[in-house]
Amino acid sequence: MKYNTKIIQEGEKPNLKEGAYGDVSIPIHLSSTFARKEVETPTGGYEYSRSGNPTRSALEKKLAALELADFGLAFSSGLAATTTLLLSLTKSGDRVLASDDLYGGTKRLFNRVFDKQYSVKFSYVDTSNISGLEKAIKSDTKLIWLETPTNPLLKISDIKAIAKIAKKNNILLVVDNTFLSPYFQKPLTLGADIVLHSTTKYINGHCDSVGGAIMLSESNVFEKLKFNQNAVGAILSPFDSFLTIRGIKTLALRMERHQENALRVANFLSTHPKVLKVYYPGLPTHPGYDIAKKQMTGFGGMISFEIRGGISTAKRFLSNLKLFALAESLGGVESLIEHPAKMTHASLSKQEREAVGITDGLIRVSVGIEDARDLVKDLKQALK
Ligand SMILES: *Cc1c(COP(=O)(O)O)cnc(C)c1O
């Protein structure tokens, strides 16, 4: 079966057996517990909805299909997935080597919970620089944690090259693939061991559910994660599982349009006199363009750009937009725009922000699937 067929059909084969109803769309199984005929035989394999639920199982099969993985697990948020993963694969004294330009919430969880309270150690490097990454590996390094493209500067790291280094050093490679979605990048096929998503973003795609996912094919690692998914209990609800399944069915269509629109917006911004710099991996001027072309099948829908005039111009511009909602988050069908220094990355100090290149004039756009002509028109009038 080809990819686009599989992600629609996987997990949702209509049940045509005697007594079943042949649902084409998986029902929302809200039952918290499942009755059985005999003491030792759970009906249909289900006992209690934290350990397993038919709607969540359908989603977990779809999630695995998305990343061409053997296993998928659904969590109550991206950070719940990250928490369960770290609890399963690290202990006090272990080290995680991570991208320096990580999602802010992930960095907060790493530094203020796992480091401060549980003594797991973290080192941050620019993972787009392979030799720097290799030098930062120590004997206690157990995981490499990668985001590519990064947020908000869309830096690209070479997954295949880093996977080779991880294997050589007996380290597991985790890729947070939220920014591109599995439609445009499949890290497991490039040698990564584990893929993580905030399904809140492109996978659900409609800004109406918060969720997380882990996909992988190594069964011993899966067993640990599966055990802890139940033991910790940070599971996705049946209703959110249903919404996420519904979102996945249009992932291919949405991603194609996100990309088409993003390229039009990026090209428009690149030629505008009030724009100093545009960050989009689909522009040949982007420093990661060659690796992006090699490891991604598309460039995605996220763009950042720097406006001339700093914070005051940025604020005026943002409040003059009519179509772009001024909001955090990304990956929904509707266009969103935000100011990293004052919004998503406000928890970093000014020095920390400037060290990675997040200036006061930087603006991040999640380009939606509306008509690109309207989006460009709105940006043009607000820049004016
Ligand atoms: C949003 C996000 C997360 C966190 O996911 P939540 O669903 O908000 O918990 C992790 N990584 C990236 C890249 C994100 O954008």
Side-chain angles (χ1 to χ4, degrees):
M1 225 189 289
K2 294 274 193 289
Y3 187 74
N4 289 346
T5 311
K6 200 164 168 178
I7 63 173
I8 289 176
Q9 304 230 338
E10 194 66 56
E12 289 197 289
K13 281 271 174 294
N15 184 350
L16 302 173
K17 284 192 208 121
E18 187 72 31
Y21 299 104
D23 302 85
V24 166
S25 173
I26 184 91
I28 308 171
H29 290 269
L30 291 173
S31 195
S32 59
T33 187
F34 301 89
R36 52 180 90 184
K37 269 194 195 146
E38 288 165 41
V39 171
E40 280 165 334
T41 329
T43 311
Y46 295 101
E47 305 168 0
Y48 181 63
S49 271
R50 170 164 33 73
S51 348
N53 170 283
T55 313
R56 197 175 85 229
S57 295
L59 169 63
E60 290 178 332
K61 284 198 187 116
K62 256 190 177 25
L63 290 171
L66 281 174
E67 289 286 2
L68 310 180
D70 289 343
F71 311 106
L73 291 164
F75 296 88
S76 53
S77 69
L79 288 179
T82 302
T83 301
T84 308
L85 199 157
L86 283 183
L87 286 172
S88 308
L89 302 177
T90 62
K91 56 183 189 318
S92 299
D94 286 347
R95 183 175 298 277
V96 178
L97 179 58
S99 308
D100 59 357
D101 193 18
L102 277 192
Y103 173 72
T106 304
K107 217 166 190 176
R108 179 177 57 198
L109 177 64
F110 284 1
N111 293 342
R112 295 183 53 187
V113 179
F114 278 95
D115 184 347
K116 209 162 171 193
Q117 299 177 38
Y118 298 97
S119 304
V120 177
K121 291 173 279 177
F122 297 87
S123 309
Y124 298 97
V125 287
D126 177 354
T127 48
S128 65
N129 171 354
I130 298 288
S131 63
L133 173 127
E134 198 157 16
K135 278 197 206 101
I137 293 175
K138 298 187 180 162
S139 59
D140 57 0
T141 306
K142 294 287 153 63
L143 287 180
I144 295 178
W145 196 283
L146 217 60
E147 270 181 38
T148 178
T150 61
N151 172 22
L153 293 168
L154 302 150
K155 274 198 281 190
I156 305 289
S157 295
D158 187 335
I159 298 174
K160 209 175 210 172
I162 296 171
K164 267 197 199 123
I165 294 168
K167 285 241 151 52
K168 200 173 79 190
N169 290 279
N170 225 356
I171 297 169
L172 289 176
L173 173 61
V174 182
V175 178
D176 179 338
N177 200 22
T178 301
F179 251 51
L180 216 49
S181 95
Y183 183 71
F184 283 141
Q185 179 170 269
K186 298 175 186 65
L188 298 180
T189 67
L190 299 165
D193 299 287
I194 301 168
V195 173
L196 183 133
H197 281 276
S198 166
T199 58
T200 315
K201 318 294 166 51
Y202 286 109
I203 288 184
N204 178 61
H206 294 74
C207 292
D208 54 11
S209 161
V210 172
I214 295 176
M215 295 82 140
L216 73 166
S217 293
E218 291 165 33
S219 58
N220 57 333
V221 181
F222 168 72
E223 290 306 330
K224 284 187 199 170
L225 290 167
K226 173 82 186 156
F227 178 86
N228 276 340
Q229 182 195 36
N230 180 44
V232 172
I235 45 141
L236 193 65
S237 76
F239 188 68
D240 286 286
S241 296
F242 168 80
L243 285 175
T244 309
I245 287 171
R246 190 182 161 108
I248 290 170
K249 291 179 191 179
T250 55
L251 181 72
L253 298 176
R254 287 187 282 111
M255 292 316 297
E256 292 290 352
R257 178 63 73 83
H258 279 299
Q259 160 165 267
E260 198 183 305
N261 284 1
L263 202 56
R264 302 230 338 229
V265 168
N267 282 330
F268 161 73
L269 290 170
S270 302
T271 56
H272 200 284
K274 285 187 183 151
V275 174
L276 283 171
K277 196 166 179 187
V278 179
Y279 301 87
Y280 182 63
L283 295 176
T285 49
H286 189 283
Y289 180 72
D290 291 333
I291 296 169
K293 265 186 80 169
K294 223 171 47 185
Q295 71 183 12
M296 295 150 43
T297 51
F299 301 108
M302 296 300 298
I303 301 173
S304 290
F305 68 96
E306 201 170 331
I307 199 166
R308 205 180 281 278
I311 187 90
S312 57
T313 321
K315 281 187 180 169
R316 265 184 72 206
F317 163 73
L318 290 168
S319 60
N320 275 303
L321 286 162
K322 297 192 167 65
L323 287 178
F324 290 78
L326 180 52
E328 300 192 358
S329 199
L330 59 115
V333 291
E334 49 286 283
S335 291
L336 303 177
I337 199 158
E338 67 110 7
H339 187 267
K342 292 280 175 208
M343 293 171 69
T344 49
H345 294 66
S347 63
L348 303 180
S349 68
K350 197 171 163 69
Q351 288 94 311
E352 281 178 294
R353 287 200 302 268
E354 279 172 2
V356 284
I358 305 171
T359 62
D360 284 350
L362 192 76
I363 287 164
R364 190 189 78 181
V365 195
S366 172
V367 182
I369 65 169
E370 302 95 336
D371 192 312
R373 288 169 295 189
D374 287 329
L375 299 178
V376 168
K377 203 165 146 191
D378 193 31
L379 291 166
K380 198 183 252 175
Q381 67 78 22
L383 281 165
K384 194 172 169 196

